[in-house]
Amino acid sequence: MLGLALTLLAIGLVDLAMTAAAGLLFGTLALVVVALLFGGVLFFVYYLITNGLEMLRKEGRRLGNLLSLLAGVAIVVVGVLFPVAVYADLDLLTLAMGITLGLLCYFAFLFACFVTYGYLYGRLKVRKQLDFVVVLGSGLIGGTRVPPLLASRLERAREVCESQAAQHGIRPTLITSGGQGADESMPEAEAMAQYLIDRGFPADTIVKENQSRTTLENLRFSKAIMEGSKPKYRCAVVTNNFHVFRAALIARDIGMRGQVLGSPTAAYFLPSATLREFAAILISRCKLANLAVSLVIIQQCWAIVA
């Protein structure tokens, strides 16, 4: 609804401006709008492709690291083939590119909604006294060491605990949440707790949840710990900023009493990670609605070409 409201507002403002303008001014305004849109698409494609190449160089050739590169290449392919197909009067290729373009526009709109709302949610401040701060695990380096991604979460959680102690005089209990993966020598929760203790965080305010393997289990098992200690608890969950929105959706689903906070992520890692989170939400939620819209787009494109 937020995305639709902003989109319709933008269309209305452009229409109002063009209606108020006349003659040369109208044509100039239209050219400026088209140029801005075209330039924005070109910049976005350039950013996706360069970021994808950087991800390949720094993180390896896993599928998750290829998402930004693949998205950029897909936009280029459609942008080149669609006008060629129309100009050459190739009906089948025109239909295929029209359907692809329609689906790209729809999912691009959903992605813009996802990024916008995720950004706004991530700006929410902690306004109430917290009983617990939960830190979600994210894997260990060499099976034992906390990586920078996870260290960012732990540092953010420590900041929240210190802020709460300064404001309310009581330090929340910090729960490190993460089990032991097949390639890890210890549970993530243990390594996370040791990271904090080595940097002066009081060990007696740390509780380790060392059984979880997924974000859902992180939150569900941590919720059980908090409810067992204080049924009417209030908590904050800390994860990286690209993961905040999906974690918040899961936390709401299981009835967790609190909000999710984000920690900084390396700039080069953010686009692919955000696309991966978006894909995970598409797969897990609103599948029938997205399928219905996709079928309508396909039918409309078929009707236009036919």
Side-chain angles (χ1 to χ4, degrees):
M1 295 303 294
L2 175 62
L4 286 171
L6 293 175
T7 300
L8 292 174
L9 175 62
I11 293 172
L13 290 175
V14 170
D15 180 67
L16 183 64
M18 289 185 170
T19 301
L24 180 61
L25 182 59
F26 177 88
T28 302
L29 184 60
L31 286 174
V32 168
V33 171
V34 171
L36 287 174
L37 290 174
F38 186 69
V41 171
L42 287 180
F43 175 79
F44 185 59
V45 169
Y46 171 78
Y47 176 69
L48 286 175
I49 292 175
T50 54
N51 174 259
L53 294 175
E54 187 175 8
M55 282 291 292
L56 284 177
R57 186 173 69 255
K58 292 184 177 180
E59 301 291 334
R61 298 185 178 182
R62 295 196 303 271
L63 179 60
N65 299 333
L66 293 171
L67 290 179
S68 58
L69 179 61
L70 293 175
V73 170
I75 295 173
V76 170
V77 170
V78 174
V80 171
L81 288 183
F82 188 57
V84 169
V86 173
Y87 181 77
D89 200 23
L90 302 173
D91 289 345
L92 189 58
L93 184 58
T94 300
L95 176 62
M97 289 299 100
I99 291 173
T100 304
L101 181 61
L103 293 175
L104 275 176
C105 289
Y106 171 64
F107 287 106
F109 168 74
L110 292 184
F111 181 71
C113 294
F114 165 73
V115 171
T116 301
Y117 194 74
Y119 175 82
L120 294 175
Y121 181 87
R123 305 279 78 74
L124 296 178
K125 304 297 183 182
V126 177
R127 300 188 182 279
K128 297 183 179 180
Q129 182 174 342
L130 301 176
D131 302 298
F132 298 92
V133 175
V134 181
V135 190
L136 305 187
S138 67
L140 303 175
I141 297 176
T144 58
R145 291 186 294 114
V146 170
L149 195 74
L150 184 51
S152 173
R153 301 181 184 186
L154 293 167
E155 293 297 338
R156 177 77 168 103
R158 178 160 65 170
E159 290 175 7
V160 174
C161 288
E162 291 173 352
S163 175
Q164 286 283 305
Q167 291 180 38
H168 306 289
I170 301 175
R171 182 184 292 271
T173 299
L174 191 148
I175 300 176
T176 55
S177 179
Q180 183 173 343
D183 59 344
E184 295 173 340
S185 305
M186 64 173 68
E188 293 169 15
E190 300 285 345
M192 294 159 69
Q194 193 59 51
Y195 174 94
L196 291 168
I197 293 170
D198 290 345
R199 287 156 180 78
F201 196 89
D204 60 347
T205 62
I206 299 176
V207 173
K208 304 162 191 171
E209 182 287 295
N210 57 14
Q211 301 298 315
S212 55
R213 298 293 186 90
T214 65
T215 299
L216 174 59
E217 290 184 353
N218 285 145
L219 297 173
R220 182 174 288 163
F221 297 166
S222 297
K223 178 173 179 277
I225 292 173
M226 292 185 289
E227 287 180 336
S229 175
K230 186 176 182 179
K232 294 186 177 181
Y233 68 91
R234 183 76 186 175
C235 76
V237 178
V238 179
T239 185
N240 285 93
N241 48 15
F242 64 83
H243 189 229
V244 164
F245 188 50
R246 185 160 68 95
L249 291 175
I250 297 172
R252 184 183 65 180
D253 288 344
I254 66 173
M256 183 171 275
R257 297 169 57 88
Q259 67 186 88
V260 183
L261 305 175
S263 66
T265 305
Y268 80 90
F269 192 82
L270 202 53
S272 288
T274 304
L275 285 168
R276 189 165 60 244
E277 290 294 305
F278 176 63
I281 289 177
L282 284 181
I283 292 171
S284 63
R285 294 173 179 271
C286 301
K287 290 188 286 291
L288 291 179
N290 288 326
L291 177 61
V293 174
S294 297
L295 290 175
V296 169
I297 291 172
I298 292 171
Q299 187 275 330
Q300 289 297 314
C301 291
W302 183 279
I304 291 171
V305 174

